[in-house]
């Protein structure tokens, strides 16, 4: 259990600040994460690893010569936001372009993708390299759906070495993708991990059992089996990986036996004594193997085994020197560049003066009140939503929603105080939600609220038809970004019925309040109905069977939030349009 913390909601930020202070000779804290203390004397490709906190040494612990130029750091087990990724890239970029590299998770793909679009629009060359090494998360025929786990390290190391040698952006990206194609990982969990401040782990196992096929976000294994001896476990892990040997692979391999957080090094050495002879007996030469903690999951008890099949291109990069706070190999030279950089801009710009009619500013009070009501509701439901999410996911949904709504409510109040109309208040709320919450739900809620606000605009208080159009824009933007459809067991399963019901009821002439109430009931019923569905998107997909009988947390929280927002959004709208007094 994670026992040392102040405010659990600030754990990730405080841990990053402490890390950067301890290792200030190598790293500096920047908005969104950390970057190398020294900028390179000559332009070089900036390799930027990223993901949620809770995985140390990944990701910030790998910053330094021969490895990463920076790390984008989200909250615990949560994708960083697009703004965080953009800010770290701006701090680390030196003129030769940037590469974002991360595990294949929906929130990371969306947020790093949005940051990449913003950088490219500014003329900065950018690439994204996804890691898909986890053989348990999808069959070989769907390898592009696999998630990234401890194989992250091998891919990061090879790209970092290539960039350090002066390779150009396209070549660094090509080598990273090649390393990913040659990398396979399988993991096993013995006990779940516990969030700071939580009373129990995200999952538990019966005595004498282990979960095979774990993720690195606190997810349980794909199935439980008896806890074997070290020799039996070694055979299980090795046989599963060798069964997926890449076509044309050679006999020289990089091997990582990785601890997930609370498995002792001595235990790993015992397991290595079972793994290494099996690999050598299969004719392999083990090149600079690593045994220890490289990609962890808070205090999870568990191990993973990674194999990367090397060739004449990849092996020198795997063997190249590196010097970072958590990993050192050979004699990497410290940067002898110019004066150490002490700070970095977050790339933000001064906001323009808000322009809005009095009617829109008056309606903005309803928007601020709606977000305050959502904040109260989500704080009360945080633990419940986390428990729902932990059934087949990483248990972070409640905390992510709370972080998002807290930021959104604060940003909305600030914008309103500066004279913003309804549209700009909701746009500010959406941008803050996406920035502070991170993850899949963070980017979706942020983009949805921005679309809602842009549709309402700042010229007048909305008619009921305008409100229905804004909700439709919210839904369309989320579907466009997340690519989910009805039946995938996501927030869309509640959102589509809400938007459709509201639009129909308004078109039939119902007052805004009655129409919203009807839509909320329909969304709540639809959210409850997701208990009978199998997830087809997101982190819950590999554990689909375990989620049967539990409603989708994203659909549940959406129905909850829209329900409590309704009276605030519709009272002002109804009063102006229909003449009903609150």
């Amino acid at each position: 259990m994670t026992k040392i913390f102040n405010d659990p909601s600030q754990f990730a930020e405080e841990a990053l600040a402490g890390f950067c202070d301890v290792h200030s000779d190598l790293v500096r804290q920047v908005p969104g994460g950390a970057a190398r203390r020294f900028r390179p004397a000559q332009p070089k490709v900036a390799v930027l690893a990223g993901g949620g906190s809770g995985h140390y040494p990944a990701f910030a612990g790998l910053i330094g010569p021969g490895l990463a130029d920076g790390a984008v750091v989200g909250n615990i087990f949560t994708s960083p936001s697009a703004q965080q990724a953009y800010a770290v890239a701006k701090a680390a970029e030196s003129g030769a372009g940037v590469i974002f590299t991360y595990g294949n998770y929906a929130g990371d793909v969306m947020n790093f993708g949005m940051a990449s679009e913003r950088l490219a629009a500014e003329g900065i060359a950018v690439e994204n390299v996804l890691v898909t090494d986890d053989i348990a998360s999808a069959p070989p025929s769907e390898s592009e759906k696999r998630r990234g786990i401890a194989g992250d390290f091998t891919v990061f190391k090879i790209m970092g070495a290539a960039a350090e040698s002066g390779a150009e952006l396209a070549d660094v990206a090509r080598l990273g993708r090649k390393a990913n194609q040659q990398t396979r990982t399988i993991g096993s969990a013995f006990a779940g991990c516990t969030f700071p401040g939580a009373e129990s782990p995200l999952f538990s196992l019966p005595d004498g059992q282990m979960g095979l096929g774990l993720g690195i976000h606190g997810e349980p294994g794909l199935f439980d089996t008896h806890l074997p001896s070290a020799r039996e476990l070694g055979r299980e892990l090795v046989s599963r990986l060798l069964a997926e040997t890449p076509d044309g692979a050679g006999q020289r391999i990089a091997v990582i036996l990785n601890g997930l957080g609370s498995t002792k090094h001595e235990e790993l050495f015992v397991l290595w004594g079972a793994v290494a002879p099996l690999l050598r007996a299969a004719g392999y030469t083990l090149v600079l193997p690593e045994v220890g903690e490289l990609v962890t999951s808070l205090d999870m008890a568990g191990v993973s085994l990674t194999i990367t099949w090397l060739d004449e291109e990849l092996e020198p990069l795997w063997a190249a020197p590196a010097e970072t706070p958590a990993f050192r190999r050979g004699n990497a030279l410290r940067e002898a560049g110019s004066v150490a950089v002490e700070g970095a801009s977050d790339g933000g710009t001064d906001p323009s003066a808000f322009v809005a009619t009095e009617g829109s500013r008056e309606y903005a009070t309803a928007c601020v009140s709606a977000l305050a009501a959502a904040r109260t509701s989500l704080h009360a439901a945080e633990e419940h939503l986390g428990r729902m999410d932990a059934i087949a996911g990483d248990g972070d949904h409640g905390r992510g929603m709370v972080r998002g709504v807290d930021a959104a409510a604060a940003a909305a109040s600030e914008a309103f105080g500066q004279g913003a109309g309804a549209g700009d208040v909701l746009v500010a709320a959406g941008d803050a939600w996406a920035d502070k919450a991170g993850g899949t739900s963070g980017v979706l809620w942020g983009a949805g609220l921005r679309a809602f606000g842009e549709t309402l605009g700042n010229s007048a208080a909305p008619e009921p038809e305008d409100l229905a159009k804004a909700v439709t824009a919210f839904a369309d933007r989320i579907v466009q970004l997340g690519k989910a459809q009805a039946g995938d067991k996501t927030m869309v399963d509640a959102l589509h019925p809400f938007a459709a019901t509201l639009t129909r009821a308004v078109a039939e002439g119902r007052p805004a309040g009655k129409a919203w109430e009807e839509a909320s009931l329909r969304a709540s019923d639809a959210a409850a109905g997701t208990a009978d569905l199998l997830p087809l998107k997101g982190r819950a997909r590999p554990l689909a069977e375990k989620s049967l009988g539990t409603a989708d947390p994203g659909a549940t929280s959406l129905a909850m939030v829209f329900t409590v927002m309704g009276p605030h959004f519709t009272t002002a709208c109804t009063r102006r349009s229909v003449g009903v007094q609150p």
Side-chain angles (χ1 to χ4, degrees), residues 491-551:
M491 64 192 296
V492 170
D493 288 302
L495 179 56
H496 267 165
F498 182 93
T501 302
L502 180 67
T503 299
R504 175 186 52 77
V506 167
E508 292 173 353
R510 287 186 181 79
K514 292 295 185 183
W516 194 287
E517 182 179 351
E518 183 179 341
S520 296
L521 291 172
R522 180 70 186 89
S524 297
D525 288 344
T530 61
D532 299 326
L533 300 176
L534 290 172
L536 301 179
K537 296 282 185 180
R539 290 180 188 166
R541 181 186 56 80
L543 297 165
E545 295 293 339
K546 292 190 175 184
S547 79
L548 275 177
T550 300

Side-chain angles (χ1 to χ4, degrees), residues 51 90 112 149 164 166 242 293 383 412 578:
K90 293 288 283 187
F112 283 108
I149 50 176
E164 207 70 46
L242 295 189
E293 292 185 345
E383 184 176 352
V578 185

Side-chain angles (χ1 to χ4, degrees), residues 31-307:
R36 290 194 193 182
R37 167 61 60 191
F38 292 92
R39 293 180 68 83
Q42 299 294 328
K44 70 174 287 293
V45 174
V47 176
L48 305 177
S53 299
H55 304 303
Y56 189 85
F59 301 94
L62 306 179
I63 298 172
L67 233 156
D69 293 86
V72 189
V73 182
N75 196 29
I76 296 175
F77 298 167
T78 304
S79 164
S81 69
Q83 173 60 29
Q84 287 177 293
Y86 171 82
V88 173
K90 293 288 283 187
E93 196 270 335
S94 63
V98 301
I99 292 182
F100 291 124
T101 181
Y102 47 90
N104 184 29
Y105 298 91
D108 295 279
V109 172
M110 282 189 278
N111 280 300
F112 283 108
M114 293 170 69
S116 298
E117 291 174 0
R118 185 174 173 186
L119 292 165
E122 296 180 8
I124 296 174
V126 59
E127 292 272 7
N128 284 249
V129 174
L130 281 65
V131 184
T132 56
D133 60 306
D134 180 19
I135 68 170
S137 56
S141 60
E142 298 180 338
S143 59
E144 75 284 353
K145 295 182 180 179
R146 289 177 167 176
R147 57 194 176 187
I149 50 176
D152 284 355
F153 179 83
T154 311
V155 177
F156 299 167
K157 173 66 179 67
I158 285 170
M159 283 199 296
E164 207 70 46
S165 72
E168 294 184 354
L169 181 68
D171 207 34
V172 177
R174 178 186 66 81
L175 289 163
R177 294 181 183 119
K178 180 179 182 179
N180 179 61
Q181 291 168 359
Q182 299 296 107
T183 299
R184 309 284 189 273
T185 300
I186 182 72
S188 179
F190 314 131
C193 60
T194 306
F195 273 27
E199 296 181 355
S200 58
L202 293 178
F203 71 90
S204 58
L205 289 163
D207 291 341
Q209 295 278 299
M210 74 171 186
L212 190 65
L214 81 164
I216 59 165
H217 297 94
E219 306 100 323
L222 297 180
F223 64 89
D224 298 342
T225 184
H226 78 283
L227 183 62
S229 68
R231 289 190 184 89
E232 292 171 328
L233 179 57
R235 284 196 295 269
E236 180 76 22
L237 300 179
V238 168
S239 65
R240 286 179 177 269
L241 292 184
L242 295 189
E244 290 216 12
T245 302
D247 293 338
Q251 295 302 113
R252 297 178 66 81
I253 56 175
V255 185
I256 298 173
L257 183 58
N258 177 62
L260 270 293
S262 65
T263 301
K264 296 289 292 179
H265 277 69
E266 289 90 342
E267 294 177 277
L268 294 175
F269 295 143
V270 170
L271 183 56
W272 180 255
V275 166
L278 293 171
L279 293 172
R280 293 186 180 115
Y284 288 107
T285 298
L286 281 52
V287 181
L288 296 172
E290 293 290 335
V291 177
E293 292 185 345
L294 291 172
V295 183
T296 64
S297 184
L298 285 177
D299 61 337
M300 180 183 279
V303 298
S304 63
L305 181 65
T306 299
I307 296 177

Side-chain angles (χ1 to χ4, degrees), residues 310-345:
L310 301 171
D311 61 12
E312 67 281 355
E313 219 179 11
L314 298 181
E315 183 171 337
L317 299 172
W318 170 247
E323 183 172 9
T324 78
F327 177 81
R328 300 191 180 195
R329 173 174 290 166
N331 295 310
L333 294 176
R334 294 281 181 108
E335 291 106 330
S338 56
V339 178
V341 181
E342 294 299 333
S345 168

